[in-house]
Amino acid sequence: METKKSTGKYWAICFVWTAILIFMLATPSVRQFFWLALPGTATYFAKALDIM
C-alpha cells in the first residue's frame, strides 16, 4: 500500500517560482533572464503533482 506524501511544501515553492517568473517577464531589464526561472517552476510543479 502506498502512503500519500504531503505536497503542500512543493505547491508553496512552485507559487514562489511562478511569482519570480511573472516578475521577470514583466520587468524589461531582466526579461532576458526569465529562462532561469523556468526549471524551478516546472520542477516544483511536477513535484507538487507527485509526478516525480
Side-chain angles (χ1 to χ4, degrees):
M1 187 159 183
E2 244 181 79
T3 58
K4 192 82 168 163
K5 292 189 294 187
S6 175
T7 59
K9 171 179 65 171
Y10 294 132
W11 279 113
I13 296 171
C14 177
F15 289 135
V16 168
W17 273 109
T18 304
I20 292 169
L21 184 75
I22 291 169
F23 169 76
M24 290 179 109
L25 281 172
T27 309
S29 62
V30 293
R31 189 173 292 157
Q32 63 201 11
F33 298 111
F34 105 98
W35 296 102
L36 297 173
L38 279 177
T41 305
T43 299
Y44 283 102
F45 182 70
K47 284 184 170 241
L49 290 177
D50 203 21
I51 295 173
M52 288 179 29

